[in-house]
Amino acid sequence: MLSDSYEWFKQNFLSLSGIDLNSYKEGQMKRRIDNFLRKNKVSGYQQFVDILKNDREIYDSFVTYLTINVSEFYRNPLQWQTLEQEIIPLLLKRFGKPLKIWSAACSTGDEPYSLAMVLSDFLPLNQIQILATDMDQEVLSKAKKGCYTEQSIKGLPKRYRDKFLDIDSDGTIRVSDKLKSCISFKQHDLLKDRYPQGVHMIVCRNVMIYFTEEAKDKIYHRFSASLSRQGILFVGSTEQIIGAGRYNFQGIQSFFYEKQ
């Protein structure tokens, strides 16, 4: 193996970080990494590994860049309306309260906070507890702070803005402490860490598109094992599951799958 090839880099980065880049689509991931090297004026993978070993700031910046954190509140509103009008009433009828909900690969927290807002129409806040996980510690820190821009909340209905968001004098938008109390943030790697069990709904959106087919197969099987029978998996707008039956899933609405 060439000492400055992409294969060499993947192997060394796995040893350094525990992140297996083989599970991500190669062309897409390699372009992102090469772009990061160019922006930081790094001449090759060997030099880059040396930098990652010795510069924690660059290392953290690279991991955050790598995990492709693009998120916003109430993304794809029609899907959230389906969640509100059909899926949550169904889950409450099946499982009662409190519901056990996992927001997987939650990025900067936009999604779990949106979930808590929607759930607040059905439950008091002290009965809402969402587990929100991501592999990137830096974005989890941002999520815990709960500070956002106008761009992040552009699709959020006004009733939620008025009830749960405060605006500082400098224009920073802050999630209220009462909503923060509904979310437990935790570091978690979908590819290697243990999954929670007996979950009533898993929300994992706009993440699976970055994984290889082999990695997706592994994750969907583990999602299925994580869910209670008749639990729901909520996926992103480009992530319809082909052959859902092999994971013991059945589509019940667009982007919503029920465990059989």
Side-chain angles (χ1 to χ4, degrees):
M1 184 185 301
L2 294 175
S3 62
D4 201 30
S5 67
Y6 184 60
E7 290 299 320
W8 177 89
F9 174 75
K10 287 192 293 184
Q11 187 178 69
N12 279 266
F13 187 64
L14 175 61
S15 298
L16 182 63
S17 67
I19 298 172
D20 187 0
L21 296 177
N22 287 309
S23 296
Y24 296 84
K25 293 177 180 176
E26 181 164 318
Q28 193 175 52
M29 185 57 71
K30 187 175 184 299
R31 282 193 299 274
R32 288 184 62 80
I33 293 170
D34 290 347
N35 188 48
F36 189 90
L37 266 62
R38 283 192 297 272
K39 284 184 176 179
N40 287 274
K41 298 181 171 57
V42 179
S43 61
Y45 294 129
Q46 197 164 21
Q47 181 191 359
F48 190 43
V49 168
D50 290 338
I51 292 171
L52 292 173
K53 287 177 178 177
N54 296 294
D55 190 326
R56 187 69 198 188
E57 187 175 339
I58 289 289
Y59 175 88
D60 289 342
S61 174
F62 178 62
V63 170
T64 297
Y65 172 81
L66 208 59
T67 51
I68 318 171
N69 295 293
V70 178
S71 191
E72 62 186 53
F73 282 72
Y74 217 72
R75 187 174 181 179
N76 308 118
L78 289 176
Q79 294 170 29
W80 287 92
Q81 289 165 24
T82 300
L83 177 71
E84 179 181 0
Q85 295 165 11
E86 300 185 38
I87 302 302
I88 291 176
L90 180 64
L91 290 171
L92 287 169
K93 182 178 179 181
R94 286 177 176 172
F95 301 112
K97 52 189 180 182
L99 292 173
K100 189 173 182 180
I101 296 178
W102 176 23
S103 175
C106 70
S107 187
T108 50
D110 313 46
E111 182 174 270
Y113 287 131
S114 297
L115 278 169
M117 291 178 188
V118 173
L119 283 163
S120 74
D121 290 336
F122 299 86
L123 299 167
L125 292 182
N126 63 9
Q127 291 185 20
I128 298 171
Q129 191 56 60
I130 297 165
L131 172 64
T133 65
D134 200 277
M135 68 182 293
D136 184 349
Q137 192 63 58
E138 189 173 328
V139 298
L140 286 174
S141 296
K142 291 179 181 177
K144 289 175 185 176
K145 290 177 182 174
C147 296
Y148 299 94
T149 63
E150 182 64 36
Q151 178 68 19
S152 298
I153 66 162
K154 63 182 181 182
L156 190 64
K158 185 176 184 299
R159 70 182 189 277
Y160 295 139
R161 292 189 188 209
D162 294 345
K163 190 173 181 180
F164 296 114
L165 301 179
D166 301 312
I167 303 178
D168 291 350
S169 57
D170 64 358
T172 300
I173 297 164
R174 295 183 182 274
V175 172
S176 67
D177 288 342
K178 61 185 178 181
L179 195 72
K180 286 183 185 179
S181 67
C182 299
I183 319 289
S184 297
F185 289 102
K186 180 181 177 183
Q187 190 170 25
H188 181 272
D189 187 333
L190 286 171
L191 293 167
K192 64 180 184 180
D193 291 336
R194 181 179 296 179
Y195 284 27
Q197 296 299 302
V199 178
H200 300 138
M201 181 169 69
I202 298 172
V203 182
C204 185
R205 306 173 71 233
N206 309 301
V207 175
M208 302 296 282
I209 53 174
Y210 301 111
F211 289 116
T212 63
E213 292 304 313
E214 183 181 358
K216 283 193 282 191
D217 184 69
K218 177 182 177 182
I219 292 169
Y220 284 137
H221 275 298
R222 296 186 73 188
F223 277 158
S224 180
S226 179
L227 284 166
S228 297
R229 192 176 71 84
Q230 293 191 303
I232 303 291
L233 173 64
F234 179 15
V235 302
S237 57
T238 59
E239 297 173 324
Q240 296 281 41
I241 304 175
I242 306 301
R246 69 180 183 271
Y247 308 113
N248 213 20
F249 287 141
Q250 178 179 324
I252 57 169
Q253 288 284 348
S254 296
F255 317 111
F256 292 92
Y257 295 85
E258 175 185 275
K259 180 179 175 179
Q260 300 301 290

